[in-house]
Amino acid sequence: MKNKILYQNFLKDNRIYSLTKNWWKREFYKKIIGKDSKFEKQIDSEWIFNWHNDDFNNKKELKDGNPIFTVFSKSKQKLVRIIQEEVETDTLEDAIEISAWIQKGFYPKEETPELVISLELSRNSSKIAFDWIKKWFDNELENKDLEIDFDERNSVSL
């Protein structure tokens, strides 16, 4: 299946930015938790969404895509932060812009393990991102798993 850009121009349009944030949470529920967002109240005891403060001091939201999505697992004591970059071209062809790293986070304390994923959002990059997120929370992700070469990024099967 050909790669497709998702939510292009999200940094320029407040409505698209909001739709993008909601997309990340909805997809997290479907792909990681395995439930629809209507079960949100039952899951609140495990997951904390949007833990990262993305407001200015005047409470105006900073809409720069860093982060576009954050989640903390209480039982695993692990974080995920998604940094979404604007796609610079009209078509991605089959190329995927994505990278990730593991670092020390700061929520709820400074030594919390954090998976950071930076990407241009497309069908293919989202598949890779959610594969990494699932492995992260299943304790199956290592730094070497985050190294993908150009050929792998082009041949993601959906």
Side-chain angles (χ1 to χ4, degrees):
M1 180 180 288
K2 188 164 174 69
N3 198 11
K4 179 182 177 189
I5 299 167
L6 303 176
Y7 299 101
Q8 192 163 11
N9 298 319
F10 78 105
L11 292 178
K12 298 173 185 157
D13 185 319
N14 288 338
R15 186 184 68 78
I16 296 173
Y17 194 90
S18 178
L19 289 171
T20 306
K21 286 185 75 146
N22 290 334
W23 179 88
W24 277 104
K25 189 171 183 181
R26 189 175 61 250
E27 291 298 303
F28 185 86
Y29 271 94
K30 288 192 311 194
K31 292 183 166 92
I32 305 302
I33 298 173
K35 298 191 183 308
D36 191 280
S37 62
K38 67 184 176 183
F39 297 102
E40 191 169 328
K41 288 187 172 58
Q42 298 170 354
I43 298 179
D44 283 347
S45 61
E46 168 59 16
W47 303 100
I48 297 174
F49 293 93
N50 302 318
W51 51 265
H52 188 278
N53 182 4
D54 55 2
D55 292 342
F56 288 113
N57 287 337
N58 64 3
K59 301 297 181 198
K60 184 175 180 180
E61 184 177 13
L62 179 62
K63 296 180 179 180
D64 67 354
N66 182 11
I68 191 76
F69 176 77
T70 58
V71 65
F72 173 70
S73 166
K74 292 179 188 176
S75 66
K76 303 282 185 179
Q77 292 291 297
K78 288 183 170 186
L79 303 165
V80 168
R81 177 168 42 117
I82 304 294
I83 301 169
Q84 186 173 323
E85 305 287 339
E86 187 69 79
V87 176
E88 299 296 325
T89 61
D90 289 334
T91 61
L92 284 175
E93 307 267 328
D94 288 329
I96 297 171
E97 291 297 324
I98 186 169
S99 62
W101 58 94
I102 297 169
Q103 66 183 27
K104 300 281 186 197
F106 60 87
Y107 179 90
K109 49 192 173 194
E110 290 180 12
E111 62 273 3
T112 305
E114 178 182 32
L115 172 65
V116 182
I117 301 172
S118 178
L119 54 69
E120 291 178 346
L121 185 58
S122 69
R123 282 185 183 153
N124 291 357
S125 66
S126 68
K127 170 142 179 21
I128 292 169
F130 279 108
D131 181 55
W132 285 340
I133 293 167
K134 180 164 180 22
K135 287 179 179 177
W136 176 244
F137 286 126
D138 288 345
N139 296 316
E140 298 173 356
L141 186 71
E142 299 177 20
N143 273 319
K144 66 177 179 60
D145 299 322
L146 301 175
E147 299 169 10
I148 57 176
D149 64 32
F150 185 75
D151 292 334
E152 286 178 293
R153 292 187 288 184
N154 285 336
S155 63
V156 172
S157 60
L158 301 173

